[in-house]
Amino acid sequence: MTHRLTGKDVHKPIRSASLVKILIAIEQLETRGDDPRIEPMLRSSDDNAASELWVENGWEQLVVRTAERIGLEDTRPPERRGMWGYTAVSASDVVKTYRYVLEKAKPSVRRTIMGHLQRATKCASDGFDQSFGLPSATFKPAFKQGWSGFGDPEEPCVAKRRPRLLLDADEPELDLKSPAMHTSGTCLFSIVAVLTLHPEGTTWQQASKRVTRVTEEVTKYRC
């Protein structure tokens, strides 16, 4: 099978936000088995579920193990072990992670992860609308979103929000100040990863429109 990777700054390290939840799911499924918390973590990007599975699977060592197993080049664990969302990833590594799930992982692991991503919800558990990017630009994708630095939603997508965990004010060398918004997933025969940072003060609506517009350009004639 021939694969062609196209994009810009595909090896640039950027904080993962919730994209690291795919690595958490891989580690849990491959070493400890299925867990009911994987569903809300992947479908509605539930932070509490991710935090619990992160601790139970070895904190930052989870990233070290999965990166080695998958062959990720740019991914590294957060400098402070509790901040799973500050894991460094790149667009290239995100694509490589999806390829691993689709082509190399056991069928049960692939079915579980992709099945949940195909059923991802419009509203995330923290109240943000996660329909930007791939779900807005393409038809029926399997997707995992990521975001960080937007505070609380001005108009919650759900009535009741669960508190977000494992945040820290310290700033390692990775850019932790600029609002981050990512969209990733599959559509038709393509794997897509759009990882973005925005100027401080950018609103959720502004960022989501930009990410969706970029995703439309990236997926044009492909999805």
mmCIF file of all heavy atoms in Angstrom, residues 52-75:
data_model
loop_
_atom_site.group_PDB
_atom_site.id
_atom_site.type_symbol
_atom_site.label_atom_id
_atom_site.label_comp_id
_atom_site.label_asym_id
_atom_site.label_seq_id
_atom_site.Cartn_x
_atom_site.Cartn_y
_atom_site.Cartn_z
ATOM 1 N N GLU A 52 -7.892 9.657 35.023
ATOM 2 C CA GLU A 52 -7.820 8.402 35.767
ATOM 3 C C GLU A 52 -7.009 7.355 35.008
ATOM 4 O O GLU A 52 -6.158 6.669 35.591
ATOM 5 C CB GLU A 52 -9.244 7.892 36.034
ATOM 6 C CG GLU A 52 -10.034 8.781 36.988
ATOM 7 C CD GLU A 52 -11.498 8.380 37.083
ATOM 8 O OE1 GLU A 52 -11.884 7.377 36.439
ATOM 9 O OE2 GLU A 52 -12.260 9.069 37.799
ATOM 10 N N LEU A 53 -7.256 7.218 33.719
ATOM 11 C CA LEU A 53 -6.534 6.232 32.920
ATOM 12 C C LEU A 53 -5.062 6.607 32.767
ATOM 13 O O LEU A 53 -4.195 5.729 32.701
ATOM 14 C CB LEU A 53 -7.193 6.087 31.544
ATOM 15 C CG LEU A 53 -8.589 5.451 31.558
ATOM 16 C CD1 LEU A 53 -9.220 5.523 30.185
ATOM 17 C CD2 LEU A 53 -8.508 3.991 32.026
ATOM 18 N N TRP A 54 -4.774 7.901 32.710
ATOM 19 C CA TRP A 54 -3.389 8.377 32.646
ATOM 20 C C TRP A 54 -2.609 7.909 33.871
ATOM 21 O O TRP A 54 -1.509 7.365 33.746
ATOM 22 C CB TRP A 54 -3.407 9.900 32.551
ATOM 23 C CG TRP A 54 -2.090 10.607 32.663
ATOM 24 C CD1 TRP A 54 -1.519 11.136 33.799
ATOM 25 C CD2 TRP A 54 -1.163 10.892 31.600
ATOM 26 N NE1 TRP A 54 -0.316 11.735 33.509
ATOM 27 C CE2 TRP A 54 -0.078 11.596 32.164
ATOM 28 C CE3 TRP A 54 -1.158 10.637 30.229
ATOM 29 C CZ2 TRP A 54 1.010 12.044 31.412
ATOM 30 C CZ3 TRP A 54 -0.080 11.069 29.474
ATOM 31 C CH2 TRP A 54 0.986 11.759 30.058
ATOM 32 N N VAL A 55 -3.174 8.102 35.045
ATOM 33 C CA VAL A 55 -2.492 7.706 36.279
ATOM 34 C C VAL A 55 -2.350 6.189 36.349
ATOM 35 O O VAL A 55 -1.276 5.657 36.671
ATOM 36 C CB VAL A 55 -3.262 8.240 37.501
ATOM 37 C CG1 VAL A 55 -2.683 7.674 38.789
ATOM 38 C CG2 VAL A 55 -3.230 9.770 37.525
ATOM 39 N N GLU A 56 -3.411 5.479 36.045
ATOM 40 C CA GLU A 56 -3.397 4.022 36.166
ATOM 41 C C GLU A 56 -2.436 3.366 35.176
ATOM 42 O O GLU A 56 -1.956 2.251 35.413
ATOM 43 C CB GLU A 56 -4.812 3.474 35.970
ATOM 44 C CG GLU A 56 -5.764 3.854 37.094
ATOM 45 C CD GLU A 56 -7.199 3.465 36.803
ATOM 46 O OE1 GLU A 56 -7.409 2.631 35.891
ATOM 47 O OE2 GLU A 56 -8.106 3.993 37.479
ATOM 48 N N ASN A 57 -2.152 4.040 34.066
ATOM 49 C CA ASN A 57 -1.272 3.477 33.045
ATOM 50 C C ASN A 57 0.147 4.039 33.090
ATOM 51 O O ASN A 57 0.895 3.932 32.115
ATOM 52 C CB ASN A 57 -1.880 3.696 31.661
ATOM 53 C CG ASN A 57 -2.984 2.706 31.353
ATOM 54 O OD1 ASN A 57 -2.739 1.567 30.948
ATOM 55 N ND2 ASN A 57 -4.234 3.130 31.565
ATOM 56 N N GLY A 58 0.514 4.661 34.215
ATOM 57 C CA GLY A 58 1.909 5.023 34.396
ATOM 58 C C GLY A 58 2.277 6.455 34.128
ATOM 59 O O GLY A 58 3.458 6.757 33.917
ATOM 60 N N TRP A 59 1.298 7.349 34.125
ATOM 61 C CA TRP A 59 1.590 8.761 33.941
ATOM 62 C C TRP A 59 2.362 8.987 32.638
ATOM 63 O O TRP A 59 1.981 8.508 31.595
ATOM 64 C CB TRP A 59 2.345 9.325 35.145
ATOM 65 C CG TRP A 59 1.675 9.181 36.476
ATOM 66 C CD1 TRP A 59 1.541 8.026 37.186
ATOM 67 C CD2 TRP A 59 1.042 10.204 37.248
ATOM 68 N NE1 TRP A 59 0.884 8.266 38.366
ATOM 69 C CE2 TRP A 59 0.572 9.597 38.441
ATOM 70 C CE3 TRP A 59 0.853 11.573 37.079
ATOM 71 C CZ2 TRP A 59 -0.088 10.308 39.437
ATOM 72 C CZ3 TRP A 59 0.202 12.290 38.075
ATOM 73 C CH2 TRP A 59 -0.265 11.667 39.229
ATOM 74 N N GLU A 60 3.456 9.754 32.718
ATOM 75 C CA GLU A 60 4.199 10.144 31.512
ATOM 76 C C GLU A 60 4.861 8.950 30.821
ATOM 77 O O GLU A 60 5.149 8.995 29.620
ATOM 78 C CB GLU A 60 5.262 11.206 31.840
ATOM 79 C CG GLU A 60 6.515 10.709 32.514
ATOM 80 C CD GLU A 60 6.317 10.350 33.977
ATOM 81 O OE1 GLU A 60 5.237 10.635 34.534
ATOM 82 O OE2 GLU A 60 7.261 9.794 34.565
ATOM 83 N N GLN A 61 5.080 7.863 31.552
ATOM 84 C CA GLN A 61 5.688 6.690 30.916
ATOM 85 C C GLN A 61 4.765 6.078 29.868
ATOM 86 O O GLN A 61 5.224 5.367 28.966
ATOM 87 C CB GLN A 61 6.050 5.657 31.988
ATOM 88 C CG GLN A 61 7.216 6.092 32.864
ATOM 89 C CD GLN A 61 8.441 6.426 32.042
ATOM 90 O OE1 GLN A 61 8.871 5.641 31.190
ATOM 91 N NE2 GLN A 61 9.019 7.591 32.281
ATOM 92 N N LEU A 62 3.496 6.327 29.990
ATOM 93 C CA LEU A 62 2.538 5.897 28.974
ATOM 94 C C LEU A 62 2.934 6.461 27.614
ATOM 95 O O LEU A 62 2.907 5.760 26.594
ATOM 96 C CB LEU A 62 1.137 6.377 29.385
ATOM 97 C CG LEU A 62 -0.064 6.162 28.487
ATOM 98 C CD1 LEU A 62 -1.327 6.248 29.330
ATOM 99 C CD2 LEU A 62 -0.162 7.188 27.359
ATOM 100 N N VAL A 63 3.315 7.738 27.581
ATOM 101 C CA VAL A 63 3.712 8.386 26.328
ATOM 102 C C VAL A 63 5.017 7.789 25.810
ATOM 103 O O VAL A 63 5.160 7.531 24.611
ATOM 104 C CB VAL A 63 3.857 9.907 26.519
ATOM 105 C CG1 VAL A 63 4.372 10.563 25.241
ATOM 106 C CG2 VAL A 63 2.526 10.515 26.938
ATOM 107 N N VAL A 64 5.959 7.562 26.717
ATOM 108 C CA VAL A 64 7.248 6.983 26.326
ATOM 109 C C VAL A 64 7.033 5.619 25.675
ATOM 110 O O VAL A 64 7.594 5.322 24.607
ATOM 111 C CB VAL A 64 8.174 6.853 27.545
ATOM 112 C CG1 VAL A 64 9.467 6.136 27.164
ATOM 113 C CG2 VAL A 64 8.486 8.230 28.130
ATOM 114 N N ARG A 65 6.204 4.791 26.293
ATOM 115 C CA ARG A 65 5.988 3.433 25.776
ATOM 116 C C ARG A 65 5.259 3.435 24.442
ATOM 117 O O ARG A 65 5.648 2.734 23.504
ATOM 118 C CB ARG A 65 5.215 2.604 26.809
ATOM 119 C CG ARG A 65 6.006 2.274 28.066
ATOM 120 C CD ARG A 65 5.283 1.208 28.877
ATOM 121 N NE ARG A 65 3.985 1.658 29.343
ATOM 122 C CZ ARG A 65 3.759 2.243 30.499
ATOM 123 N NH1 ARG A 65 4.769 2.482 31.333
ATOM 124 N NH2 ARG A 65 2.542 2.604 30.863
ATOM 125 N N THR A 66 4.187 4.196 24.344
ATOM 126 C CA THR A 66 3.417 4.187 23.103
ATOM 127 C C THR A 66 4.199 4.828 21.960
ATOM 128 O O THR A 66 4.126 4.367 20.817
ATOM 129 C CB THR A 66 2.066 4.898 23.276
ATOM 130 O OG1 THR A 66 2.272 6.207 23.812
ATOM 131 C CG2 THR A 66 1.142 4.111 24.181
ATOM 132 N N ALA A 67 4.963 5.869 22.254
ATOM 133 C CA ALA A 67 5.758 6.513 21.204
ATOM 134 C C ALA A 67 6.783 5.541 20.643
ATOM 135 O O ALA A 67 7.007 5.477 19.422
ATOM 136 C CB ALA A 67 6.443 7.759 21.753
ATOM 137 N N GLU A 68 7.399 4.759 21.529
ATOM 138 C CA GLU A 68 8.377 3.780 21.074
ATOM 139 C C GLU A 68 7.715 2.662 20.284
ATOM 140 O O GLU A 68 8.221 2.223 19.250
ATOM 141 C CB GLU A 68 9.125 3.203 22.276
ATOM 142 C CG GLU A 68 10.194 2.189 21.907
ATOM 143 C CD GLU A 68 10.961 1.676 23.108
ATOM 144 O OE1 GLU A 68 10.709 2.179 24.226
ATOM 145 O OE2 GLU A 68 11.804 0.775 22.930
ATOM 146 N N ARG A 69 6.576 2.218 20.762
ATOM 147 C CA ARG A 69 5.885 1.108 20.109
ATOM 148 C C ARG A 69 5.378 1.494 18.721
ATOM 149 O O ARG A 69 5.459 0.713 17.773
ATOM 150 C CB ARG A 69 4.709 0.664 21.002
ATOM 151 C CG ARG A 69 4.064 -0.638 20.579
ATOM 152 C CD ARG A 69 3.380 -1.293 21.757
ATOM 153 N NE ARG A 69 2.217 -0.590 22.250
ATOM 154 C CZ ARG A 69 2.122 -0.024 23.457
ATOM 155 N NH1 ARG A 69 3.132 -0.072 24.293
ATOM 156 N NH2 ARG A 69 1.011 0.576 23.834
ATOM 157 N N ILE A 70 4.891 2.711 18.583
ATOM 158 C CA ILE A 70 4.331 3.166 17.307
ATOM 159 C C ILE A 70 5.420 3.702 16.381
ATOM 160 O O ILE A 70 5.268 3.710 15.167
ATOM 161 C CB ILE A 70 3.248 4.246 17.568
ATOM 162 C CG1 ILE A 70 2.088 3.641 18.381
ATOM 163 C CG2 ILE A 70 2.713 4.825 16.267
ATOM 164 C CD1 ILE A 70 1.078 4.678 18.846
ATOM 165 N N GLY A 71 6.529 4.161 16.961
ATOM 166 C CA GLY A 71 7.593 4.736 16.154
ATOM 167 C C GLY A 71 7.420 6.221 15.924
ATOM 168 O O GLY A 71 7.765 6.746 14.860
ATOM 169 N N LEU A 72 6.914 6.927 16.933
ATOM 170 C CA LEU A 72 6.681 8.355 16.809
ATOM 171 C C LEU A 72 8.003 9.103 16.957
ATOM 172 O O LEU A 72 8.807 8.805 17.831
ATOM 173 C CB LEU A 72 5.681 8.819 17.867
ATOM 174 C CG LEU A 72 4.335 8.073 17.876
ATOM 175 C CD1 LEU A 72 3.427 8.633 18.958
ATOM 176 C CD2 LEU A 72 3.659 8.161 16.507
ATOM 177 N N GLU A 73 8.212 10.102 16.116
ATOM 178 C CA GLU A 73 9.477 10.827 16.088
ATOM 179 C C GLU A 73 9.476 12.090 16.940
ATOM 180 O O GLU A 73 10.508 12.472 17.508
ATOM 181 C CB GLU A 73 9.823 11.218 14.649
ATOM 182 C CG GLU A 73 9.969 10.058 13.689
ATOM 183 C CD GLU A 73 10.219 10.546 12.277
ATOM 184 O OE1 GLU A 73 11.234 11.243 12.077
ATOM 185 O OE2 GLU A 73 9.401 10.252 11.386
ATOM 186 N N ASP A 74 8.362 12.783 17.012
ATOM 187 C CA ASP A 74 8.321 14.111 17.615
ATOM 188 C C ASP A 74 7.577 14.158 18.944
ATOM 189 O O ASP A 74 7.524 15.197 19.589
ATOM 190 C CB ASP A 74 7.663 15.101 16.645
ATOM 191 C CG ASP A 74 8.244 14.997 15.244
ATOM 192 O OD1 ASP A 74 9.475 15.108 15.126
ATOM 193 O OD2 ASP A 74 7.473 14.796 14.284
ATOM 194 N N THR A 75 6.998 13.043 19.337
ATOM 195 C CA THR A 75 6.169 13.006 20.542
ATOM 196 C C THR A 75 7.037 12.835 21.783
ATOM 197 O O THR A 75 7.945 11.999 21.812
ATOM 198 C CB THR A 75 5.159 11.850 20.447
ATOM 199 O OG1 THR A 75 4.296 12.092 19.327
ATOM 200 C CG2 THR A 75 4.322 11.743 21.711
#
